[in-house]
Amino acid sequence: MATLKLGVLGSGSGSNMQSIVDAVEENALDAEVRLVLSDVPNAKILDRAERHSIPNRYLDCAPWKTKLEGPAEDECIRLLKEAGCDTVVLAGFMRIVKPKLLVAFPMRVLNIHPALLPAFPGVHSWKQALDYGCKVAGVTVHFVDAGTDSGPIIVQRSVPVLEDDTPESLHARIQVEEHIAYPEALRLLAAGRITVDGRRVRISP
Ligand code: GRF
């Protein structure tokens, strides 16, 4: 049986989930994606899961628009537990998760953020980096805590910001690194190489 039993939450295209599934299928990650949930009906991430025969479903998160709370949060936790998930992967999930999920999966909820945190938390961070005039941008995979994009950092990868970049071209360059960073962070977790010491994530050799 695979070491990590993953539940993936996403709202959009699912390219990060795809990179994780690809790593699993290439035997480059000792994990199994057990369930994919999306708060957006017909999101592409669900199609991708379907194509790989991964159980998937839409999770109605109404009436909240920006957070996972209340009955939807309970249902999410129930579905993840029922599927035997031990690790929750937020992959383009456009909602704030609340403490209940974090308590149900202690230090086992990960997120990917398209910026070099702590710079530019929140939405459209690649555009924020561009508008700010940064010369370097990037991606962060981190444990989720009660804040927004504020948990201990596991992996970061950087990209240059080019003179003629648009928000789209910069985001595309960052996404290439995202697809390396998420499987890498999960590989470290699967190998038991991660120790969290306050804010610092130590990676053993
Ligand atoms: C990525 O840029 C990720 O960093 C951010 O949302 C986007 C999701 O992309 N949190 P995808 O759905 O994985 O393609």
Side-chain angles (χ1 to χ4, degrees):
M1 195 189 286
T3 300
L4 298 182
K5 290 111 189 147
L6 307 177
V8 180
L9 271 54
S11 308
S13 130
S15 68
N16 278 286
M17 185 214 63
Q18 187 72 56
S19 72
I20 293 164
V21 170
D22 290 347
V24 169
E25 291 185 354
E26 288 159 13
N27 291 321
L29 173 61
D30 183 7
E32 184 188 342
V33 180
R34 295 232 171 159
L35 181 64
V36 175
L37 297 173
S38 179
D39 59 328
V40 175
N42 307 317
K44 200 168 162 205
I45 192 170
L46 297 177
D47 294 339
R48 289 187 195 257
E50 193 64 30
R51 243 179 282 144
H52 290 268
S53 306
I54 298 167
N56 63 88
R57 58 186 280 185
Y58 162 60
L59 183 70
D60 184 359
C61 295
W64 292 277
K65 291 199 178 345
T66 57
K67 56 189 179 178
L68 176 65
E69 206 169 13
E73 181 185 41
D74 292 339
E75 178 69 350
C76 179
I77 294 168
R78 192 188 68 74
L79 290 168
L80 289 166
K81 293 282 183 192
E82 189 183 83
C85 301
D86 57 21
T87 305
V88 182
V89 172
L90 307 183
F93 189 58
M94 301 306 287
R95 287 173 184 270
I96 307 286
V97 299
K98 305 300 264 184
K100 207 175 212 181
L101 180 77
L102 305 179
V103 168
F105 296 93
M107 291 314 281
R108 282 283 175 160
V109 183
L110 279 68
N111 183 43
I112 190 158
H113 182 74
L116 294 173
L117 291 169
F120 311 124
V123 293
H124 300 136
S125 43
W126 59 89
K127 186 171 183 309
Q128 292 185 54
L130 193 61
D131 291 346
Y132 196 88
C134 293
K135 301 295 186 195
V136 176
V139 57
T140 304
V141 180
H142 63 95
F143 288 109
V144 177
D145 66 7
T148 302
D149 301 323
S150 59
I153 292 169
I154 306 169
V155 170
Q156 287 187 308
R157 295 179 68 89
S158 62
V159 299
V161 180
L162 305 182
E163 295 291 325
D164 58 354
D165 260 332
T166 61
E168 293 71 30
S169 65
L170 179 56
H171 188 213
R173 192 173 310 114
I174 292 171
Q175 282 226 286
V176 172
E177 300 305 315
E178 291 185 9
H179 301 157
I180 299 169
Y182 227 157
E184 174 61 17
L186 291 167
R187 247 190 309 275
L188 295 171
L189 193 64
R193 292 177 56 196
I194 291 180
T195 317
V196 183
D197 176 10
R199 279 219 55 88
R200 297 182 71 177
V201 172
R202 300 188 190 280
I203 313 285
S204 62

